[in-house]
Amino acid sequence: MEIFELIKSSDADAVMQMVNQDPSLVELRDPSGLRPIMVALYYGKRTLAHALRSRMETLDLWEAAAIGDLETARSAVGQDQSLLDAFSPDGFTPLGLAAFFGSLPVLEWLLEQGADPNLAAQNQMSVCPIHSAAANRDPEKALTSVRLLVAYGAQVNVAQRGGWTPLHQAADHGFQHLVEFLLEAGADRTLKSSDGRTPGEMALEKGFEATAALLK
């Protein structure tokens, strides 16, 4: 479908031109069941995602969690409490999406409502929200999200596909403050990924020597 290819190729002007000509395009779904707004977010096109949002009548809870629309998230859960731990078309919970995209107000609100911080995604990645939080490329958002999740009972040594724990993810990004927090929260620095690497070895491979020193 052309609109999805244009989103992936970063041609935002062409995407919005198409939508202007045919507003129904914002409701299309790709083979994974995702609408253009989510594809834009996954490809890091946040400005485009907001432009697409302005042409949509409603968002579902997963889209609201990803883009940070707290009002819509509240409305969706208010109408159907079972959505709190429901899975998106591509297998993620609202909490996991809020964690991955750094939607902190939505993340905190979902936790307050009782969203399960240890519910793994139903897809090949098998990530829990804490993995998604640690994967955020903004070190401050990653740290704040992980702190929130741990405060609500997220397990720090849980492994995703490939045997990566949150500590592996933090080490691979060189997020020193996040590594420090995870260690204080009980993360095990000796756990190895499926290919036999510890978090410290991952940090050293990436040249994050200060982070690697914390993990010795």
Side-chain angles (χ1 to χ4, degrees):
M1 288 173 273
E2 186 178 0
I3 188 168
F4 295 109
E5 294 307 314
L6 288 173
I7 292 170
K8 294 173 186 178
S9 67
S10 303
D11 197 341
D13 290 339
V15 170
M16 294 313 298
Q17 185 176 0
M18 287 185 69
V19 170
N20 289 335
Q21 293 173 352
D22 183 359
S24 70
L25 291 175
V26 297
E27 302 297 335
L28 281 182
R29 294 189 181 270
D30 72 2
S32 297
L34 303 177
R35 292 194 287 189
I37 187 172
M38 280 302 298
V39 176
L41 287 169
Y42 277 132
Y43 277 80
K45 317 301 178 188
R46 199 164 189 87
T47 300
L48 175 57
H50 281 282
L52 291 166
R53 169 68 182 100
S54 70
R55 308 303 174 87
M56 299 172 70
E57 291 187 10
T58 60
L59 298 181
D60 61 35
L61 177 55
W62 304 289
E63 293 163 343
I67 206 167
D69 187 337
L70 180 55
E71 182 178 350
T72 297
R74 282 175 170 160
S75 176
V77 174
Q79 293 175 39
D80 184 356
Q81 189 75 16
S82 70
L83 288 174
L84 199 58
D85 286 327
F87 295 97
S88 65
D90 57 342
F92 298 102
T93 63
L95 191 64
L97 289 167
F100 181 71
F101 288 105
S103 302
L104 298 177
V106 179
L107 178 72
E108 186 169 16
W109 183 81
L110 289 169
L111 286 166
E112 290 171 351
Q113 302 313 300
D116 187 347
N118 294 304
L119 187 58
Q122 285 190 339
N123 54 38
Q124 290 185 343
M125 297 175 70
S126 298
V127 288
C128 291
I130 194 170
H131 298 120
S132 299
N136 191 293
R137 288 292 182 173
D138 182 321
E140 293 305 316
K141 284 186 176 181
L143 177 58
T144 301
S145 298
V146 169
R147 281 183 181 275
L148 273 170
L149 289 161
V150 170
Y152 279 86
Q155 299 171 10
V156 296
N157 288 313
V158 63
Q160 66 176 80
R161 183 185 181 187
W164 283 39
T165 65
L167 191 60
H168 282 96
Q169 185 70 68
D172 190 66
H173 283 177
F175 288 173
Q176 189 170 340
H177 293 307
L178 180 54
V179 166
E180 289 173 340
F181 171 75
L182 286 168
L183 290 172
E184 291 169 3
D188 186 344
R189 73 190 74 200
T190 68
L191 293 178
K192 295 183 178 182
S193 60
S194 298
D195 60 3
R197 293 181 295 164
T198 64
E201 289 168 339
M202 286 185 172
L204 201 57
E205 288 171 7
K206 289 289 186 74
F208 301 127
E209 295 183 5
T211 302
L214 287 172
L215 292 162
K216 283 184 178 178

